[in-house]
Amino acid sequence: MHHLLLSISIQELSAQYFKNQFNQVALVRYIFLMIGLLGIAWSQTNCNLSISGKIVSDADRDKMCFADIVIKETGKGTAANEEGYYSFNNLCTGKYTLVCTHVGYFTQEITIELKENTIYDFYLKENEVELHGFTLEEHDDKVELSQTKYTMEGAHLDKNRGATLGESLKRITGMYTLNTGNSISKPVLHGMHSKRLLILNNGVRQEGQQWGQEHGPEIDAFVAKKITIVKGSSSVRYGSDAIAGVILVEPAAIIAPPGIRGDLYLSGNTNGFGGAGSLMLEGSFKKLSALSWRIQGSFRKSGDVATPGYYMANTAMEEYNFSTGLGYYKEKAGFELFFSMFHTKLGIFSASHFGNLTDLQNAINSPQPLIIRDFSYDIDRPYQDITHYMAKGKAYVKTGQKSKLEFTFAFQENRRKEFDSHGSLNEDPSLFFILQTVTGEVNWQHSFHKKLKGALGISGLYQTNRWDGFFFIPNFRNVNGGVYWYENLKLGHWDFEAGIRYDISSLQAYMYVNNVYQDPAFLYHNISANVGTIFHLNDHFTARANYGLAWRPPHISELYSNGLHHGSASYEIGDSTLLPERAHNVNLSANLNFSRFKLELTGYYYYIQDFIYLKPTLEPVLTIRGAFPGFQYTAGDVDIKGVDVDMDVLLTKRFVWSSKTSLLWAWNYTQKDFLINMPSYRFDNELSYQFKDTKTMKGPYISANLLVVTRQSMVPANSDYAAPPDAYFLVGLSAGVDFLIKKVQTISVSLTVANLLDTPYRDYLNRFRYFSNDMGRNVVLKLKIPLEFSSYKKLKKTK
């Protein structure tokens, strides 16, 4: 009966959304239906069982604090506490495979048939040729944040391998993507992106030309072992660009057993007839067991994207990436070296460039693009060619039993070439930027008491930018420095945290205005602060509250843009009088965790003074390169508020319903109207069925997904070149399984069908919604193959 209720509720709501009739009554009804299903799921079989025990060294019975344990079937993980004990609660009857790992010890895996509360102790065998008695401590992970955070890792992350970083994150509540066509996407958190959403790539702030709305992060998502989204102002720890939050792209630490192991990822997609792949190999040395190495390479290639009815001309892309690293870890000191190269070539939709104002207006009014061609892998003008290099060195020294001093130094070079629609493929680019950035940080992680932990640090940045071709932004030099301090205190059921940071930023531009040389300089400085608390009632309920004070200076593009932005097919104009943004942010969240359901409810509120945004001028600009929509940087006092709801319900022993709801409202007090370019309501529901394991298959599942996006009705009147597109809903299917080969090798296979019904739609956050529909049906097949070579296999057999 409850399956029928779920089906009826989704169908009724979908019909309302598609007809643009969503209202508050429907929202209340939606929420009460979800709550009603919780009661239905409550009366199922026994799911109050537990698995617990201790983890010790097999040699000397020393407690193995912070050893990691994961349940393969659920992906749920935990770490042993300081006394070496672990526990998993609220488990249902069934078979579970526990995998226990600890640096310097062989991995141990056991299977438990759970029928009653079970105690199992792990006795880990030391790897005699690896690291003796050394535990790599990440102190930040031991300090729980009062902001809401979401982590993608393990099987969940593997399902998104092969996509861009933005596409990988968009199904997380509060996360959206700002697209330019279907080949370029950048992450959006709570309506904010670019210089308000900081991305840390392997512990280094990503410094590309991220100011552009069509400039996606130059990051190879295959490198990540874990991606964490911290929702809410995080400027105290990470700097002034973290008003909305932080995305942490974290590779695994470069610590490997002797021999060679690795992972091979392969994927293929029908839309664009493309594919992606990644190969990672790592190992260490017998005579120098503390030294490990890693090498990785990946590729992505796709042809023109298909929408229902036509191909988007010149939307092919190709991407090639490489990274390598070396890690040396000892108990008292160690270091890590890392180098990466990211290169991509992206075709820009041909039907977004026009020769005159009449063609531009006709294209906006037309139901389909004015330029349509057959499928092709060719990348013609206009296109982008981007290469990003990063070199990083990190070292640490233990300064006490629970304190550590870390030094991080990084160099990045971003080379961006943009080619307009005129000229031959061999001609010089219309725009050529070379951005070079040097960053450094010294961070002292300390623990004055077992209940008091924190960090004190300084950071700096030196950045230069040079350009060639047609003018868009001037050459500039940017120098930043900051000092910060934060502490976390545990008192019973409560955690308290507080932090403060001071930043100073110097920006100088170099340019000619009407043949007169000018070098205007700006000096900005301000304080960021953060206070928060966490209340742990028990294993079932946690509440968080956080207040953040943050700021950011205007970027050079917001001050001095003046020209054609080829990638986004727009003419953009800056404003040199813009002031720094000042943001106040409040985040409140509550988390319920029971055997039959999980619920996380997050509410957020931002009040931002002098919020800088790109506003349509409503007057297209005619240049010698063609006709383009015009946009002007402007500022106003705004508020952005919303609610994120995550819910998982175990309907039966094998059926799981997952629901993700993202609601956002934004108001411009200066204009006394809605704030433009904010995401609309999103409702993402998924029903999954878990099949029984067999001798050769583990974790087989199948799921159906329904995404509903409402029409964005909260926009300023007569403020854009085209009205917001209609509401839409998309149906998707996915299935996956792990195949066991000779009881040792595991090959993971998944199949996903996005936009199953090939629904034509346009998303409000797609810059090319003026000219084309979004992507049609896409079938994606993915494989993950762990690689274990002879010397590594011998070690596993001896455990």
Side-chain angles (χ1 to χ4, degrees):
M1 180 64 186
H2 50 270
H3 295 283
L4 179 60
L5 174 63
L6 174 62
S7 175
I8 293 174
S9 65
I10 290 178
Q11 290 177 7
E12 290 179 350
L13 285 173
S14 300
Q16 289 182 336
Y17 299 147
F18 191 72
K19 295 177 181 178
N20 304 325
Q21 295 175 351
F22 181 83
N23 52 42
Q24 293 181 350
V25 174
L27 174 60
V28 171
R29 183 182 178 192
Y30 178 88
I31 294 173
F32 273 97
L33 282 171
M34 292 194 295
I35 295 174
L37 286 175
L38 301 182
I40 295 173
W42 187 258
S43 59
Q44 302 298 318
T45 58
N46 182 17
C47 285
N48 292 314
L49 302 178
S50 67
I51 302 175
S52 61
K54 65 178 182 293
I55 306 171
V56 297
S57 168
D58 184 65
D60 52 19
R61 297 302 190 265
D62 280 350
K63 58 191 178 185
M64 307 293 293
C65 56
F66 305 126
D68 292 316
I69 314 170
V70 174
I71 298 178
K72 272 191 173 182
E73 288 76 8
T74 65
K76 185 178 182 180
T78 188
N81 63 19
E82 295 181 354
E83 299 301 319
Y85 287 93
Y86 76 96
S87 67
F88 291 98
N89 300 314
N90 305 319
L91 298 175
C92 301
T93 56
K95 184 181 292 185
Y96 296 95
T97 304
L98 274 64
V99 181
C100 182
T101 59
H102 193 285
V103 176
Y105 292 80
F106 292 114
T107 298
Q108 193 172 118
E109 181 176 311
I110 60 102
T111 299
I112 293 176
E113 185 74 31
L114 188 62
K115 297 180 180 178
E116 58 185 1
N117 292 339
T118 300
I119 297 176
Y120 185 89
D121 297 333
F122 285 92
Y123 295 86
L124 300 185
K125 294 183 180 293
E126 185 179 6
N127 183 346
E128 297 180 353
V129 292
E130 205 183 341
L131 311 178
H132 292 274
F134 166 68
T135 301
L136 177 65
E137 296 182 8
E138 293 291 347
H139 288 247
D140 281 349
D141 292 340
K142 307 298 183 284
V143 177
E144 193 169 359
L145 298 174
S146 59
Q147 296 107 316
T148 304
K149 73 174 183 178
Y150 186 94
T151 299
M152 286 179 59
E153 57 186 332
H156 189 190
L157 183 58
D158 288 342
K159 291 178 183 178
N160 293 280
R161 300 282 188 185
T164 64
L165 179 64
E167 290 295 316
S168 299
L169 302 178
K170 69 179 183 179
R171 289 199 63 189
I172 298 172
T173 53
M175 293 294 302
Y176 311 84
T177 55
L178 180 64
N179 294 327
T180 303
N182 290 287
S183 57
I184 303 174
S185 66
K186 64 189 312 177
V188 177
L189 174 58
H190 295 161
M192 291 175 279
H193 55 84
S194 302
K195 299 299 289 184
R196 298 185 192 93
L197 179 57
L198 181 63
I199 300 176
L200 258 67
N201 181 15
N202 197 4
V204 177
R205 56 185 296 141
Q206 180 74 10
E207 289 292 338
Q209 302 281 0
Q210 64 261 42
W211 47 267
Q213 295 195 17
E214 92 295 358
H215 298 172
E218 300 91 352
I219 294 176
D220 178 12
F222 275 116
V223 173
K225 179 187 178 184
K226 178 170 66 175
I227 301 177
T228 301
I229 296 92
V230 180
K231 299 180 179 181
S233 173
S234 305
S235 294
V236 169
R237 176 62 183 90
Y238 300 109
S240 59
D241 289 351
I243 289 179
V246 181
I247 298 174
L248 306 173
V249 181
E250 304 171 85
I254 306 177
I255 301 177
I260 302 175
R261 68 160 302 278
D263 290 306
L264 175 65
Y265 293 93
L266 295 171
S267 69
N269 53 276
T270 58
N271 199 316
F273 301 104
S278 171
L279 175 64
M280 184 277 292
L281 298 174
E282 63 181 3
S284 61
F285 304 92
K286 291 183 178 180
K287 294 183 179 181
L288 194 58
S289 59
L291 186 65
S292 300
W293 57 269
R294 179 180 299 146
I295 187 169
Q296 182 264 350
S298 66
F299 74 91
R300 291 199 308 131
K301 185 176 178 63
S302 179
D304 290 339
V305 170
T307 71
Y310 54 84
Y311 289 103
M312 295 181 65
N314 198 45
T315 53
M317 60 81 60
E318 57 188 34
E319 177 182 309
Y320 305 98
N321 309 303
F322 170 80
S323 67
T324 185
L326 198 66
Y328 181 83
Y329 297 98
K330 284 287 191 179
E331 182 177 3
K332 294 184 178 180
F335 69 84
E336 180 178 301
L337 301 176
F338 179 81
F339 172 81
S340 67
M341 186 276 292
F342 173 99
H343 177 262
T344 187
K345 185 176 180 181
L346 302 164
I348 303 299
F349 184 39
S350 296
S352 64
H353 287 236
F354 308 95
N356 57 68
L357 295 174
T358 301
D359 287 346
L360 172 60
Q361 193 59 52
N362 289 338
I364 293 174
N365 296 333
S366 174
Q368 65 179 31
L370 298 186
I371 300 175
I372 296 177
R373 75 178 189 188
D374 293 334
F375 174 83
S376 175
Y377 287 103
D378 295 337
I379 300 177
D380 302 320
R381 298 176 73 122
Y383 70 93
Q384 298 179 355
D385 189 293
I386 305 112
T387 305
H388 188 91
Y389 302 97
M390 184 177 79
K392 168 200 165 185
K394 180 179 180 180
Y396 67 89
V397 178
K398 295 292 287 291
T399 57
Q401 185 177 1
K402 293 186 177 181
S403 61
K404 179 170 61 173
L405 189 63
E406 291 184 336
F407 306 87
T408 304
F409 179 86
F411 171 78
Q412 298 176 72
E413 181 173 284
N414 185 279
R415 304 175 70 89
R416 169 175 287 272
K417 300 177 182 179
E418 298 192 4
F419 298 79
D420 66 13
S421 58
H422 300 275
S424 67
L425 288 175
N426 297 324
E427 288 186 13
D428 292 336
S430 306
L431 287 173
F432 184 19
F433 299 116
I434 300 178
L435 181 72
Q436 294 180 325
T437 307
V438 177
T439 55
E441 182 180 43
V442 179
N443 177 267
W444 181 46
Q445 300 176 15
H446 54 262
S447 179
F448 297 119
H449 185 270
K450 65 179 182 179
K451 295 184 178 181
L452 181 63
K453 298 179 181 180
L456 179 68
I458 59 173
S459 62
L461 176 148
Y462 181 85
Q463 185 176 77
T464 62
N465 184 77
R466 293 172 290 147
W467 68 274
D468 195 10
F470 289 93
F471 180 85
F472 185 68
I473 63 172
N475 294 339
F476 68 88
R477 182 186 63 193
N478 186 22
V479 183
N480 296 336
V483 57
Y484 59 89
W485 180 27
Y486 62 88
E487 298 289 337
N488 179 281
L489 175 66
K490 292 181 178 290
L491 291 175
H493 292 285
W494 293 86
D495 283 30
F496 300 94
E497 69 173 5
I500 190 168
R501 181 185 182 105
Y502 173 76
D503 284 286
I504 185 168
S505 176
S506 172
L507 176 66
Q508 186 158 17
Y510 307 94
M511 58 185 175
Y512 282 89
V513 179
N514 296 324
N515 296 322
V516 177
Y517 178 75
Q518 296 183 5
D519 56 353
F522 302 85
L523 183 66
Y524 307 102
H525 60 96
N526 219 321
I527 291 176
S528 304
N530 181 76
V531 292
T533 185
I534 308 172
F535 175 66
H536 300 275
L537 177 63
N538 49 40
D539 291 339
H540 303 302
F541 179 77
T542 302
R544 289 176 167 84
N546 179 273
Y547 167 76
L549 177 66
W551 73 287
R552 78 169 184 95
H555 189 265
I556 191 73
S557 63
E558 296 164 332
L559 296 170
Y560 289 112
S561 291
N562 189 8
L564 176 60
H565 202 173
H566 297 279
S568 59
S570 61
Y571 194 98
E572 298 176 10
I573 302 171
D575 182 354
S576 61
T577 66
L578 293 172
L579 300 174
E581 294 181 353
R582 190 67 168 161
H584 302 264
N585 170 227
V586 175
N587 274 268
L588 302 173
S589 68
N591 186 288
L592 294 173
N593 189 347
F594 291 93
S595 58
R596 308 300 299 184
F597 74 93
K598 296 179 181 180
L599 175 67
E600 183 172 73
L601 178 65
T602 301
Y604 57 89
Y605 177 82
Y606 297 88
Y607 179 75
I608 307 177
Q609 297 169 291
D610 298 307
F611 180 88
I612 303 170
Y613 62 100
L614 203 55
K615 178 181 179 181
T617 62
L618 301 184
E619 295 182 4
V621 180
L622 182 61
T623 74
I624 61 172
R625 318 301 288 182
F628 301 91
F631 295 84
Q632 168 80 54
Y633 281 104
T634 188
D637 296 343
V638 307
D639 71 15
I640 301 172
K641 51 187 175 290
V643 176
D644 298 334
V645 183
D646 272 285
M647 186 172 65
D648 294 313
V649 182
L650 190 61
L651 299 174
T652 69
K653 185 177 180 180
R654 300 195 177 278
F655 273 105
V656 178
W657 171 40
S658 298
S659 179
K660 302 176 184 292
T661 301
S662 299
L663 309 175
L664 182 147
W665 301 267
W667 183 259
N668 189 330
Y669 288 97
T670 302
Q671 297 293 326
K672 298 180 180 179
D673 208 337
F674 295 111
L675 182 61
I676 197 170
N677 294 328
M678 289 288 113
S680 55
Y681 299 158
R682 297 172 68 91
F683 304 88
D684 192 348
N685 287 274
E686 184 175 77
L687 186 64
S688 301
Y689 182 81
Q690 187 85 30
F691 295 92
K692 291 183 178 180
D693 290 347
T694 68
K695 292 183 178 180
T696 58
M697 294 190 301
K698 281 200 171 185
Y701 73 91
I702 186 170
S703 64
N705 167 261
L706 175 66
L707 171 67
V708 178
V709 179
T710 66
R711 184 177 186 270
Q712 180 55 284
S713 59
M714 295 180 290
V715 295
N718 302 316
S719 61
D720 206 345
Y721 292 97
D726 291 337
Y728 63 89
F729 69 91
L730 303 177
V731 178
L733 293 176
S734 63
V737 65
D738 292 342
F739 290 104
L740 299 180
I741 310 298
K742 297 181 180 180
K743 297 183 179 180
V744 177
Q745 181 81 337
T746 301
I747 298 178
S748 301
V749 182
S750 68
L751 182 70
T752 302
V753 185
N755 195 0
L756 174 69
L757 305 180
D758 206 26
T759 303
Y761 72 99
R762 301 190 183 195
D763 191 270
Y764 180 63
L765 292 186
N766 194 327
R767 289 294 299 271
F768 285 168
R769 65 181 172 85
Y770 299 137
F771 314 119
S772 172
N773 291 334
D774 275 78
M775 181 184 288
R777 184 186 300 112
N778 189 26
V779 182
V780 182
L781 176 66
K782 296 182 180 180
L783 298 176
K784 176 188 177 183
I785 306 174
L787 305 174
E788 299 176 4
F789 297 91
S790 57
S791 57
Y792 182 73
K793 290 180 180 178
K794 291 177 182 178
L795 285 168
K796 288 189 69 177
K797 291 177 181 178
T798 63
K799 70 178 182 180

